[in-house]
């Protein structure tokens, strides 16, 4: 009896200890999870209160002027999404996403509940589930957030592809044509053309300047970027002119499906009056976009042009079909006077 009771007692103590360990483990786990949630909440609050801006003023200014900051408030976007009945699952998740390190690089992003007006914010690209900031190797620590060195930022094409290369959303895909081109060879990435390298203090509390990248993401609204996108060459032989168009863009051109590029050819009389005008529109709608590095030759009949006339060829970029003539951008121009 005694022995049995003693034995039971030992079992009882053992079970009690096990329970305690379980309890401590569970408590620890909840505490850890609460800490993570607290850090994530603090990051959102800090973003809202201007903390990221005060320690990273240069990066903030660049981002603020980029289309990533406007991905939600952009009127062109809102006008288009308005007509989509299930926009919350079809559209909004990329224009105001949750941090992609939480939903998974390459996975379809999820719609964010808060701060939608901040579009593709700093947190979308940098915040992980532990509340830390991921990026390339940092030169300093800060009390405000933990720094995590993560190799995906060095050549960030996979990061960009989370929104710019979803297989189910071909209208917003710049990544697949890039990957199939020689632009993807070596150390090139989407950042090569859209996030120029800059050496600077990466925060107001850093001690040394290190190499980083500008957060400008200049695209189709930048005249400089558009002038780099393609080249034109004219070759005149009596009766016709060959217009050689060469794309220098790292992906399909134009990159967006709302955009169009007009190749315009005009014969001008010596006094400048237009004698004849022809044009070709290059767009997703016409299914004739240019691949990276593609050279295409268009031949025009010049029988109507006379000696002394000027043949003028232009490439003109149009953001949307509503863009007025005054706001279209001249990408390239070449002229030839008929001898
Ligand atoms: C008190 C100042 C301070 C605040 C506030 C702050 N940061 Fe930082 N942050 C730093 C410092 C210092 C570094 C390291 C910079 C360096 O490498 O020189 C850094 C690095 C980073 C990095 C790169 C991390 C890495 O390992 O590559 C990211 C991303 C970042 N911060 C984003 C943010 C965001 C987003 C916010 C707002 C939620 C924010 N920071 C708020 C000081 C701050
Ligand atoms: C979380 C989603 C997301 C990620 C990740 C993302 N983008 Fe974007 N990006 C967008 C959206 C949405 C827009 C469109 C904003 C608009 O025009 O309303 C955009 C627009 C752009 C533009 C067009 C700017 C303009 O003025 O025409 C460029 C260039 C760009 N992104 C490059 C990049 C690069 C490079 C990366 C990777 C470093 C990247 N993006 C990562 C969602 C994302
Ligand atoms: C997989 C992420 C993703 C989804 C889903 C998505 N978009 Fe986008 N959207 C982008 C990216 C990235 C860009 C910028 C690149 C481009 O234009 O291809 C963009 C750009 C746009 C633009 C161009 C804005 C401008 O500056 O002219 C419009 C309009 C737009 N999206 C509307 C929509 C609509 C409507 C839906 C739903 C039917 C939708 N998007 C779904 C990622 C997405
Ligand atoms: C569309 C994704 C994206 C967004 C939005 C974004 N970043 Fe970055 N960020 C990157 C990438 C990619 C790098 C790596 C650049 C490199 O190779 O140096 C980076 C690097 C950094 C670094 C390290 C220094 C550097 O340039 O390498 C800091 C600090 C940083 N980001 C802060 C911010 C802050 C603050 C914001 C918001 C104002 C922000 N980022 C918004 C993609 C993003
Ligand atoms: C070799 C340089 C180069 C590389 C590499 C490059 N781009 Fe571009 N990108 C351009 C040029 C030039 C334009 C302007 C022409 C245009 O609108 O397509 C542009 C435009 C864009 C636009 C704006 C499209 C629109 O309709 O508004 C987006 C979005 C974009 N790029 C995303 C990316 C992404 C994502 C990658 C990586 C897969 C990438 N780019 C790689 C040169 C490049």
């Amino acid at each position: 009896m005694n022995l049995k009771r003693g034995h039971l007692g030992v079992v009882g103590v053992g079970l009690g200890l096990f329970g305690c360990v379980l309890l401590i483990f569970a408590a620890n786990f909840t505490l850890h999870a609460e800490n993570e949630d607290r850090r994530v909440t603090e990051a959102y609050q800090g973003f809202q209160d201007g903390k990221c801006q005060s320690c990273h003023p240069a990066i903030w200014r660049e981002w603020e002027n980029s289309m990533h900051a406007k991905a939600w408030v952009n009127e062109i976007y809102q006008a288009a999404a308005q007509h989509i009945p299930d926009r919350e699952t079809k559209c909004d998740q990329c224009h105001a996403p949750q941090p992609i390190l939480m939903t998974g690089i390459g996975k379809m992003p999820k719609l964010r509940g808060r701060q939608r007006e901040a579009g593709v914010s700093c947190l979308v690209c940098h915040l992980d589930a532990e509340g830390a900031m991921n990026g390339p190797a940092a030169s300093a620590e800060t009390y405000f957030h933990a720094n995590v060195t993560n190799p995906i930022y060095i050549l960030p094409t996979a990061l960009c592809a989370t929104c710019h290369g979803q297989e189910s959303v071909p209208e917003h895909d710049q990544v697949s044509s890039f990957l199939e081109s020689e632009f993807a060879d070596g150390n090139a990435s989407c950042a090569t053309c859209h996030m120029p390298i800059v050496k600077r203090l990466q925060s107001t509390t850093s001690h040394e300047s290190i190499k980083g990248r500008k957060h400008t993401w200049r695209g189709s609204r930048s005249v400089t970027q558009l002038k780099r996108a393609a080249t034109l060459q004219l070759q005149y032989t009596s009766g016709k002119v060959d217009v050689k168009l060469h794309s220098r863009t790292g992906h399909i051109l134009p990159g967006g499906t709302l955009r169009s590029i007009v190749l315009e050819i005009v014969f001008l009389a010596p006094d400048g009056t237009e004698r004849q005008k022809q044009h070709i529109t290059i767009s997703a709608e016409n299914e004739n976009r240019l691949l990276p590095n593609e050279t295409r030759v268009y031949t025009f009949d010049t029988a109507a042009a006379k000696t002394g006339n000027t043949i003028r060829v232009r490439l003109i970029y149009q953001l949307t079909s509503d863009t007025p003539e005054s706001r279209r951008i001249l990408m390239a121009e070449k002229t030839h006077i008929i001898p």
Side-chain angles (χ1 to χ4, degrees):
M1 269 263 285
N2 261 348
L3 192 83
K4 210 177 181 185
R5 197 194 280 157
H7 188 72
L8 270 177
V10 171
V11 172
V13 169
L15 272 177
L17 266 177
F18 182 64
C20 272
V21 170
L22 255 186
L23 251 170
I24 290 166
F25 183 72
N28 224 336
F29 189 74
T30 340
L31 210 75
H32 187 63
E34 268 171 12
N35 267 333
E36 284 177 16
D37 285 350
R38 184 173 54 76
R39 288 197 208 104
V40 169
T41 308
E42 276 173 7
Y44 275 102
Q45 195 60 48
F47 177 85
Q48 190 84 18
D49 296 345
K51 293 230 166 85
C52 321
Q53 180 176 16
S54 72
C55 280
H56 299 289
I59 293 177
W60 181 277
R61 215 175 307 118
E62 289 161 357
W63 167 79
E64 197 176 35
N65 288 314
S66 80
M67 288 313 292
H68 282 149
K70 296 168 195 147
W72 180 262
V73 294
N74 178 2
E75 283 167 18
I76 301 177
Y77 171 66
Q78 287 298 344
Q82 206 185 329
H83 306 293
I84 312 292
D86 32 9
R87 59 176 284 178
E88 295 219 336
T89 50
K90 286 238 168 81
C91 314
D92 294 347
Q93 74 269 31
C94 292
H95 288 261
Q98 289 177 22
I100 57 173
L101 291 169
M102 297 191 195
T103 46
I105 298 296
K107 298 227 175 79
M108 180 62 88
K110 292 204 177 96
L111 175 60
R112 193 163 71 229
R114 47 190 156 180
Q115 295 174 2
R116 285 189 189 165
E117 67 294 342
V120 180
S121 73
C122 320
L123 308 179
V124 172
C125 288
H126 289 294
L127 183 68
D128 70 18
E130 272 93 57
M133 293 303 161
N134 287 232
S139 74
E141 294 300 322
T142 166
Y143 69 90
F144 187 72
H145 57 70
N147 288 334
V148 172
T149 304
N150 184 331
I152 64 161
Y153 293 83
I154 308 299
L155 295 176
T157 303
L159 184 115
C160 313
T162 306
C163 304
H164 290 268
Q166 284 290 341
E167 221 175 302
S168 60
V169 189
E171 53 281 34
H172 292 325
D173 179 7
Q174 288 79 35
V175 173
S176 60
S177 52
F178 166 78
L179 290 178
E180 283 162 18
S181 77
E182 56 200 57
F183 282 101
D185 295 348
N187 279 337
S189 74
C190 308
T192 311
C193 300
H194 293 293
M195 298 183 76
I197 288 177
V198 56
K199 196 174 173 195
R200 61 182 169 194
L201 290 175
Q202 300 302 344
S203 83
T204 50
T205 58
S206 303
H207 307 294
E208 55 171 314
S209 290
I210 56 169
K211 248 203 233 162
R213 285 184 180 275
K214 286 195 179 178
H215 283 51
T216 41
W217 299 288
R218 297 239 159 77
S220 55
R221 285 162 176 91
S222 150
V223 176
T224 326
Q225 195 76 284
L226 290 177
K227 287 198 185 288
R228 271 192 219 124
T231 57
L232 266 183
Q233 268 179 293
L234 282 192
Q235 210 161 11
Y236 175 79
T237 40
S238 63
K240 69 178 177 71
V241 65
D242 287 336
V243 178
K244 200 193 251 184
L245 188 54
H246 176 69
S247 171
R248 298 166 66 207
T249 302
H251 39 75
I252 197 156
L253 176 71
T257 47
L258 287 182
R259 320 291 185 221
S260 46
I261 294 173
V262 176
L263 174 67
E264 179 199 86
I265 176 163
V266 186
F267 305 149
L268 298 164
D271 67 356
T273 47
E274 289 180 8
R275 298 204 45 231
Q276 194 186 327
K277 203 170 184 168
Q278 302 168 61
H279 75 269
I280 286 166
T281 303
I282 299 165
S283 64
E285 197 187 352
N286 289 350
E287 296 180 15
N288 61 350
R289 290 194 282 173
L290 289 150
L291 290 172
N293 255 329
E294 180 177 344
T295 302
R296 196 179 287 171
V297 180
Y298 289 104
T299 303
F300 295 93
D301 180 5
T302 58
K306 295 185 187 135
T307 300
N309 280 178
T310 299
I311 301 172
R312 188 189 71 199
V313 181
R314 284 179 164 173
L315 267 190
I316 301 161
Y317 197 89
Q318 206 175 327
L319 199 67
T320 70
S321 53
D322 302 336
T323 307
E325 206 146 339
S326 60
R327 293 190 48 209
R328 296 180 194 164
I329 296 170
L330 181 64
M331 300 170 72
E333 177 179 293
K334 280 277 149 67
T335 53
H336 178 84
I337 301 172
I338 297 178

